[in-house]
Amino acid sequence: QVQLVESGGGLVQAGGSLRLSCGVSGTTLSFNAMGWYRQAPGKERELVAQLLRGTTNYADSVKGRFTISRDNAKNTVDLQMNSLKPEDTAVYYCNLKGLLFQPSLEYWGQGTQVTVSS
């Protein structure tokens, strides 16, 4: 019943911007952690940005460029990405983690490709 669908990915030139949106269905945004991860070819999946108990966390590589936010009305978790670099090229995944009654529960989206050309 719970589904996460990422959108907003695509091809963009370096210095450009994209806004990713994670549409959540089947549940409200009542999770301990909500965030975006990414995985580049040949690399491990890494945390990009996260809302954790009211606090935002960012990977050092994206600080000042990316902004994570939630929209309770639309039931989305969004990632605004500015000043994109080729190093940002990856598949970006939405993640929801931890309910009050099931702290270990987590959901993943299918991912959306972000490609930044030089």
Side-chain angles (χ1 to χ4, degrees):
Q1 185 176 350
V2 176
Q3 293 190 47
L4 282 60
V5 180
E6 299 98 333
S7 63
L11 176 63
V12 65
Q13 293 185 4
S17 299
L18 285 174
R19 185 175 181 86
L20 306 183
S21 182
C22 174
V24 180
S25 63
T27 186
T28 57
L29 302 181
S30 303
F31 292 82
N32 292 328
M34 299 173 287
W36 287 90
Y37 291 72
R38 69 185 181 189
Q39 187 166 24
K43 297 184 178 180
E44 295 184 354
R45 188 171 300 185
E46 65 172 342
L47 176 67
V48 176
Q50 185 182 60
L51 291 168
L52 180 63
R53 296 184 238 101
T55 302
T56 55
N57 301 306
Y58 296 95
D60 289 340
S61 60
V62 308
K63 286 181 179 177
R65 300 188 297 120
F66 291 11
T67 303
I68 188 171
S69 62
R70 62 186 291 175
D71 190 325
N72 291 330
K74 296 192 295 184
N75 229 41
T76 62
V77 180
D78 304 318
L79 184 69
Q80 179 66 45
M81 306 185 296
N82 299 325
S83 302
L84 284 162
K85 305 174 181 179
E87 306 92 89
D88 296 317
T89 296
V91 178
Y92 284 70
Y93 299 89
C94 181
N95 171 259
L96 306 180
K97 187 181 305 178
L99 292 171
L100 288 175
F101 62 100
Q102 296 180 81
S104 63
L105 182 68
E106 67 177 346
Y107 297 100
W108 291 92
Q110 294 297 315
T112 185
Q113 177 71 47
V114 172
T115 302
V116 184
S117 63
S118 59

